[in-house]
Amino acid sequence: MNAMMAFRILCALLVMTALSGIAGNASAADALPPKGAKVYQVAIHNFAFEPKTITVPTGAYVVWVNRDEEPHVVTSAGALFTPSKALDTGDTHVVTLSRPGTYTYYCSIHPMMVGTIIVK
Amino acid sequence: MQDTHDNPAEGRRQFLKCMAAGAGTLWLMKSGVLQALPLSEGAGAQDSSFSFVQISDSHIGFHKAPNMDVAGTLRQSLATIRSQAIRPAFVMHTGDLTHLSKPDEFDTLAGLVQEAHIGKVFYVPGEHDVIGDNGAEFFRRFGERQQAGGWYSFDQGGVHFVGLINVLNLKAGGLGSLGEDQLAWLKNDLAGLSSETPLVVFAHMPLWSLYPQWGWGTDDSAQAMTYLRRFGSVTVLNGHIHQIQQKVEGSITFYTARSTAYPQPAPGVGSGPGPLQSVTADALHRYLGVRDVRHVRGSGALAVTEEELA
């Protein structure tokens, strides 16, 4: 991740945190990666998650960035982690997964978009 | 509004007329075969008992290429409806009123519809209208409140209309979904009707496997079709794909509608079903439009007319 991308994600997170106070969504603030935390990025591009499958260590932060002109909503199959709000172009969503396992997720408005996080 | 009584003794044939948008072509559907005729102005309007208009995919809140003013193009669409020589009995909006289900987007749409004075509007939600709250805000504002699930039916001029919801409880890797509760209701709703009753069924996502790779279909639509098949005239109207596609399956004719906001690519063309950004501002109106449907008394006909934005 280059400096500009890190800055953009930080800005997005700050905005999300500010908005979450209004919307009553407490999870976004909890998901802020602490300084120096390992962050794994998943791009949402052309109606697909890239990479489609990622393997991360326990407690890692996963950040989705929507690079489509179309909004997307990251949703865990089985509701194992907090869903995103509607991600417009450039918006991000962050989760941290503390338990090992295989987490399938999809876009709730384009459910043919499916991705997997393997936490080891 | 005049009631149309179906009389099987008349031996009438089911047919649909569909004018291709702006091209001056009249499509006559006779027993599942399309026939094209040159269109004469207002053809068929005089012998219709009532008409209705379908609009779709207004995506209020969208503000990118190729349409920076989706409120403006919706306003134009509504003005087109208002200018119809024969006032439609009602308007139906087949979903994606908004882009992101935001309260101010719903406000804008409701305001535009109200100021257009187009009379009764029936709505079904698109997947963009149910983000974050499973449609609670949509149903509060635009729901018919007949069933807990939001689906409903009504009768107009002898035609039975059914509004279905297929954008909730979507599963990973799946398509649109009606669900068991709604299918059971549908079966029951149709059970008492004569097979001669013309049916119009509408929902946001296509109720046929139009292009599943892009999510253009509904997982359990085949089950719904088993309830529709006994009827002599079934018209299925959907939105979602921002373009006109048609399919005939026995007595069931499927149509998707244009958007009032922006077009999407033809099935499988390009990398995905996003906005067609290459459309220039001066050409955009050719991709947007409204659908006018007339019920022709005594003949059982539904005449389907597409109008692009001038």
Side-chain angles (χ1 to χ4, degrees):
Chain A
M1 183 179 336
N2 62 32
M4 181 53 75
M5 180 51 67
F7 178 72
R8 284 178 59 186
I9 289 177
L10 182 62
C11 290
L13 288 171
L14 289 172
V15 170
M16 282 168 62
T17 309
L19 289 175
S20 67
I22 301 162
N25 178 359
S27 63
D30 299 340
L32 261 179
K35 204 174 177 181
K38 182 79 174 151
V39 173
Y40 293 82
Q41 199 185 122
V42 178
I44 308 174
H45 184 53
N46 285 338
F47 291 76
F49 298 107
E50 298 171 0
K52 190 174 162 63
T53 301
I54 52 167
T55 303
V56 304
T58 306
Y61 288 80
V62 179
V63 180
W64 288 265
V65 183
N66 183 13
R67 301 198 188 289
D68 271 350
E69 296 295 324
E70 178 81 4
H72 296 292
V73 183
V74 176
T75 307
S76 162
L80 300 177
F81 59 79
T82 308
S84 74
K85 66 181 180 69
L87 302 178
D88 212 341
T89 309
D91 284 354
T92 60
H93 181 59
V94 183
V95 298
T96 178
L97 300 166
S98 52
R99 289 187 186 173
T102 300
Y103 296 80
T104 302
Y105 64 90
Y106 62 107
C107 171
S108 67
I109 59 175
H110 309 107
M112 74 288 188
M113 297 168 56
V114 179
T116 305
I117 307 167
I118 299 167
V119 180
K120 284 187 173 171
Chain B
M1 212 42 54
Q2 294 162 313
D3 189 52
T4 300
H5 181 68
D6 288 318
N7 184 354
E10 288 175 10
R12 58 180 173 73
R13 304 176 73 175
Q14 321 291 344
F15 66 97
L16 287 163
K17 296 172 184 173
C18 177
M19 181 186 83
T25 308
L26 182 71
W27 289 102
L28 257 79
M29 180 76 74
K30 292 192 176 179
S31 306
V33 181
L34 269 178
Q35 296 178 2
L37 292 175
L39 179 82
S40 56
E41 190 80 12
Q46 308 87 337
D47 59 352
S48 64
S49 58
F50 76 92
S51 68
F52 67 94
V53 169
Q54 179 190 8
I55 54 174
S56 202
D57 295 85
S58 300
H59 285 262
I60 296 299
F62 179 85
H63 51 83
K64 297 191 180 80
N67 189 352
M68 303 300 285
D69 183 18
V70 294
T73 48
L74 173 60
R75 190 181 286 114
Q76 264 183 283
S77 298
L78 297 171
T80 305
I81 295 168
R82 208 170 142 69
S83 69
Q84 296 293 308
I86 296 177
R87 191 170 175 82
F90 60 84
V91 174
M92 69 167 67
H93 194 302
T94 45
D96 282 357
L97 286 58
T98 69
H99 202 53
L100 296 173
S101 309
K102 291 180 178 172
D104 62 313
E105 296 173 345
F106 285 124
D107 285 346
T108 301
L109 182 123
L112 287 169
V113 169
Q114 194 178 11
E115 74 188 37
H117 298 290
I118 52 170
K120 174 65 182 172
V121 182
F122 290 97
Y123 299 90
V124 287
E127 74 284 1
H128 285 252
D129 300 319
V130 298
I131 298 170
D133 68 350
N134 289 323
E137 187 67 10
F138 171 90
F139 290 117
R140 187 180 71 76
R141 292 167 179 254
F142 305 104
E144 289 296 316
R145 294 180 171 78
Q146 282 187 16
Q147 304 293 325
W151 45 84
Y152 57 93
S153 65
F154 61 94
D155 294 287
Q156 176 76 50
V159 179
H160 189 66
F161 290 82
V162 182
L164 298 178
I165 316 291
N166 61 354
V167 297
L168 289 171
N169 305 312
L170 306 185
K171 294 177 187 68
L175 305 170
S177 173
L178 294 164
E180 284 181 20
D181 289 355
Q182 186 168 209
L183 285 167
W185 171 84
L186 176 65
K187 187 179 184 183
N188 189 50
D189 182 70
L190 301 177
L193 297 176
S194 152
S195 301
E196 294 293 318
T197 309
L199 290 187
V200 174
V201 177
F202 56 104
H204 177 66
M205 290 185 175
L207 286 165
W208 45 296
S209 289
L210 204 164
Y211 196 68
Q213 296 91 323
W214 282 1
W216 291 356
T218 299
D219 281 331
D220 46 7
S221 61
Q223 184 65 35
M225 293 311 131
T226 63
Y227 308 148
L228 303 179
R229 211 155 274 140
R230 75 177 171 92
F231 291 90
S233 168
V234 182
T235 304
V236 177
L237 300 176
N238 302 123
H240 190 55
I241 69 163
H242 298 212
Q243 61 193 289
I244 297 168
Q245 296 280 346
Q246 300 177 37
K247 182 194 178 191
V248 180
E249 204 182 286
S251 60
I252 307 176
T253 307
F254 301 82
Y255 294 89
T256 60
R258 287 199 173 101
S259 161
T260 67
Y262 58 86
Q264 289 182 341
V269 177
S271 57
L276 258 185
Q277 293 177 290
S278 58
V279 176
T280 57
D282 59 337
L284 179 64
H285 64 91
R286 281 195 253 128
Y287 293 87
L288 310 180
V290 301
R291 166 173 290 151
D292 180 41
V293 181
R294 296 188 300 275
H295 180 243
V296 182
R297 189 153 33 110
S299 65
L302 291 177
V304 180
T305 307
E306 309 291 348
E307 283 189 53
E308 66 190 34
L309 293 187

